[in-house]
Amino acid sequence: MSQLQSRPRAKDAAAPPQFPLRVGSIDVGSNAIRFLAAEFTSPTEYRALAESRAPVRLGHEVFLSGRLARETMEAAVEAIAGFRGLMQELGIEHYRAVATSATRESRNGEEFVARVRRETGIDLEVVTGTEEARLVYEAVRAQVPFGKRKWLLVDLGGGSVEVSLVDASAILWSESHTMGSVRLLEELAGSGEEPGRFQRLLEEYASTLRIPVIARQWNPAGLVATGGNIEALARLIGAEPGRGRVAAVPLAALRAAIEKLSSLSYRQRVEQLGLREDRADVILPAAMVYERVATLAGVDEIRVPAVGLKDGVLVDLVDDLTTHEAHEVRKGKHAMAGALALGRRYQFDEVHAEHVARLAGSLFDQLEKVHRLEPADRRMLLAAATLHDIGIFIGHKKHHKHSLYIISQSEVPEFTQREIDIVANVARYHRKGVPALHHESFTRLASEDRERVVKLASLLRIADALDREHLQAVRAVKATAGKGKLVLELDSEGDLLLERWSLRRKGGLFADTFGLDIEIAGDGKVDADG
């Protein structure tokens, strides 16, 4: 058998693999470690070859002490080694292994990842909450026909719950909340001897979960839920979920199940309801979170497609292996959809934002030999361009700093926290001051990322200047660099007085960064003020 490969890209191979294609996924969650091997006959159609679950609760100590327990790590490594053996037996060459909230929040998570690599040969990727949401979305989209409507999607794990607004094309908005089933159990365990008090605490805790008004205003068609607990709840009420079959859980039946579960002890749930021991304690907290989201969404039933993170990992991996579309291009589409959704949440000027993003992207593409940045940097530039004025929601004065704050505290699909920090800083420097070492948010970045911010902000300032009146008078720009200058040919209408004035004010950062003075074709040099 060939060497196992973790998340390869189509561009890495001489020729993309062909269907049928066997792949594997490992989901190192907070309550269990799950494995799925499948054979794909198309990008979204597959049959399971092997499926397994190891009841290793990594979140047990993390949510209280902040560290993964030594014995739990040992059990996890043993389980992952077993899954690697299964992949070898099945002739699987390509896999992806991901770890979620327990690993990413633990102080010794890096040690755990290194140990997994050393002892099993498996590359374990720690993913963000938004990446979790995206992968679950990929799995659900392959099973649930969304049509032309928008839907709410909730995925509950042991350490977090991700709530997203989605449609058939992308995630429009997503938030990750630290309200997983194991976390709730651990944090409220002190009241476990008093079932009534425990339930009241759960209700109060769950009541803090919110869904933005804009998600409800878009009148979603329904609520889709994923996770082992909602599947177990569906089975409890007789709505059997399964692969290729979407179960419906009436909200009234869910509430009745909550009452039933709250009246039973842990042992009674195991013996009378047939729940697994590692499910019987967390199912009540999970049920109450699902009930809270359904109530906020205003739906009377929850749809359960019986797919989850491990399925989404496989769908995404197969897409990486077989698609003819560049991986970064796909990520860019999802990122832009997420950025637009975040902007709408803060009532931004969408027409201006999209136009500035188009101009910035055009400048980036035309000036590749000047800035020498990577495709991922283009994605960050477009997001920053889309969100540069989002801070006006707080106030126009110092809105660039408000934009920095809002973006840095938000989650956008397809971006890691490092990338979010870069996007926030690029947006912050779209006007007025230039990056400086006494700016705390800028100096916290790695040195190579500070250089990246300066280059991207230089491009954004030009793009924003070319739509100073928010009238899209400059329809397109052709940029030519050479002999110490950057010449801009503008496809435009009108005299562009404000745009020329703004370019003089904002063009200095580009000139200082790249050593190119800016000229508008037919006008001559722009005297930049910085």
Side-chain angles (χ1 to χ4, degrees):
M1 174 186 162
S2 302
Q3 180 71 29
L4 278 170
Q5 297 180 45
S6 173
R7 197 177 180 173
R9 302 290 182 226
K11 69 180 182 180
D12 296 331
Q18 302 296 311
F19 295 110
L21 176 62
R22 290 189 170 193
V23 289
S25 69
I26 301 174
D27 166 16
V28 182
S30 301
N31 191 46
I33 302 175
R34 298 170 178 83
F35 168 73
L36 175 62
E39 183 172 84
F40 278 68
T41 55
S42 77
T44 58
E45 295 179 350
Y46 58 95
R47 66 180 181 91
L49 300 172
E51 194 166 0
S52 185
R53 179 182 185 277
V56 180
R57 187 169 284 180
L58 285 171
H60 176 64
E61 292 291 333
V62 172
F63 303 136
L64 294 178
S65 69
R67 296 182 64 83
L68 294 164
R70 187 67 51 190
E71 60 273 16
T72 310
M73 283 198 290
E74 290 173 359
V77 170
E78 182 180 352
I80 293 169
F83 295 150
R84 177 187 169 88
L86 281 174
M87 286 192 284
Q88 291 175 323
E89 291 175 12
L90 292 167
I92 289 171
E93 297 183 5
H94 302 295
Y95 77 94
R96 185 181 178 192
V98 300
T100 57
S101 57
T103 305
R104 70 174 174 253
E105 292 182 28
S106 62
R107 292 195 296 274
N108 57 341
E110 291 183 1
E111 175 190 339
F112 172 58
V113 171
R115 183 173 174 182
V116 169
R117 179 70 182 88
R118 183 175 63 253
E119 297 185 23
T120 73
I122 294 293
D123 291 317
L124 185 59
E125 177 187 356
V126 182
V127 296
T128 65
T130 52
E131 176 68 355
E132 275 190 75
R134 186 188 72 81
L135 291 169
V136 171
Y137 163 74
E138 295 293 347
V140 172
R141 182 171 61 166
Q143 298 291 323
V144 178
F146 288 138
K148 297 182 179 180
R149 297 284 301 280
K150 296 175 177 63
W151 292 73
L152 276 174
L153 173 59
V154 55
D155 177 58
L156 177 67
S160 64
V161 57
E162 281 72 46
V163 183
S164 309
L165 182 70
V166 306
D167 63 15
S169 62
I171 296 177
L172 305 174
W173 160 86
S174 182
E175 278 188 352
S176 180
H177 302 267
T178 54
M179 201 176 286
S181 57
V182 174
R183 188 192 301 273
L184 288 173
L185 183 69
E186 298 290 352
E187 292 184 351
L188 304 178
S191 60
E193 298 303 316
E194 302 178 54
R197 174 173 166 75
F198 182 51
Q199 184 176 357
R200 289 195 301 273
L201 282 172
L202 282 173
E203 289 172 349
E204 292 178 8
Y205 204 110
S207 70
T208 63
L209 194 152
R210 296 283 187 273
I211 294 176
V213 172
I214 189 170
R216 299 194 298 273
Q217 287 176 338
W218 279 345
N219 190 28
L223 174 64
V224 178
T226 57
N229 282 299
I230 193 62
E231 293 176 26
L233 287 162
R235 285 190 288 270
L236 280 180
I237 68 168
E240 192 70 28
R243 292 195 177 279
R245 183 173 64 256
V246 179
V249 175
L251 184 55
L254 176 60
R255 288 170 176 160
I258 289 172
E259 290 302 313
K260 177 70 172 177
L261 289 166
S262 64
S263 70
L264 299 176
S265 67
Y266 165 78
R267 184 48 54 188
Q268 288 172 323
R269 294 175 195 170
V270 174
E271 295 173 354
Q272 296 181 24
L273 302 180
L275 293 172
R276 288 196 312 263
E277 292 191 348
D278 66 333
R279 178 76 68 202
D281 54 354
V282 296
I283 194 168
L284 179 58
M288 297 183 74
V289 173
Y290 286 119
E291 191 277 338
R292 172 65 177 171
V293 175
T295 299
L296 290 173
V299 300
D300 55 14
E301 74 171 16
I302 302 173
R303 300 193 185 189
V304 184
V307 294
L309 180 59
K310 63 185 184 300
D311 300 85
V313 167
L314 289 188
V315 172
D316 191 58
L317 175 59
V318 168
D319 195 32
D320 280 351
L321 288 165
T322 62
T323 187
H324 295 292
E325 182 179 39
H327 179 73
E328 188 58 45
V329 171
R330 295 197 316 278
K331 290 187 72 172
K333 289 179 179 178
H334 286 291
M336 279 301 294
L340 287 169
L342 180 61
R344 290 169 188 144
R345 186 173 170 185
Y346 291 95
Q347 301 172 23
F348 74 152
D349 182 344
E350 184 168 346
V351 174
H352 169 67
E354 289 194 283
H355 191 66
V356 171
R358 280 194 293 272
L359 293 175
S362 175
L363 289 168
F364 184 97
D365 295 340
Q366 295 179 67
L367 298 174
E368 285 183 346
K369 292 182 179 179
V370 175
H371 57 66
R372 299 183 183 279
L373 293 169
E374 301 295 325
D377 299 310
R378 186 182 194 278
R379 171 166 46 88
M380 289 187 278
L381 173 62
L382 294 185
T386 300
L387 299 171
H388 70 281
D389 276 343
I390 195 174
I392 291 175
F393 181 84
I394 297 175
H396 193 278
K397 185 178 181 181
K398 298 183 179 179
H399 73 266
H400 55 301
K401 295 182 180 179
H402 301 325
S403 295
L404 167 72
Y405 174 77
I406 291 174
I407 297 169
S408 66
Q409 300 304 310
S410 300
E411 293 184 331
V412 181
E414 300 296 350
F415 289 112
T416 64
Q417 187 56 54
R418 165 188 161 268
E419 290 174 326
I420 284 288
D421 291 337
I422 292 172
V423 171
N425 274 275
V426 174
R428 182 254 189 270
Y429 294 114
H430 81 274
R431 67 190 290 263
K432 290 200 171 182
V434 298
L437 291 180
H438 65 273
H439 295 162
E440 184 179 352
S441 61
F442 180 67
T443 55
R444 280 200 301 263
L445 300 175
S447 59
E448 61 270 23
D449 287 340
R450 291 198 294 270
E451 180 181 355
R452 183 172 281 109
V453 165
V454 172
K455 289 182 176 181
L456 294 177
S458 300
L459 296 170
L460 175 55
R461 288 163 81 102
I462 293 175
D464 189 42
L466 293 177
D467 196 37
R468 179 63 178 81
E469 288 195 90
H470 293 217
L471 295 176
Q472 296 74 59
V474 176
R475 292 180 290 265
V477 57
K478 179 181 178 182
T480 306
K483 297 182 180 179
K485 63 184 179 181
L486 174 69
V487 179
L488 303 178
E489 282 185 62
L490 306 181
D491 176 6
S492 61
E493 58 184 34
D495 55 24
L496 305 180
L497 288 176
L498 277 179
E499 281 72 19
R500 286 177 165 82
W501 170 80
S502 184
L503 194 57
R504 284 196 298 272
R505 297 190 65 207
K506 294 186 173 185
L509 182 60
F510 183 93
D512 293 341
T513 301
F514 298 108
L516 297 173
D517 292 323
I518 299 174
E519 292 185 7
I520 295 178
D523 287 1
K525 180 180 175 181
V526 172
D527 295 319
D529 298 331

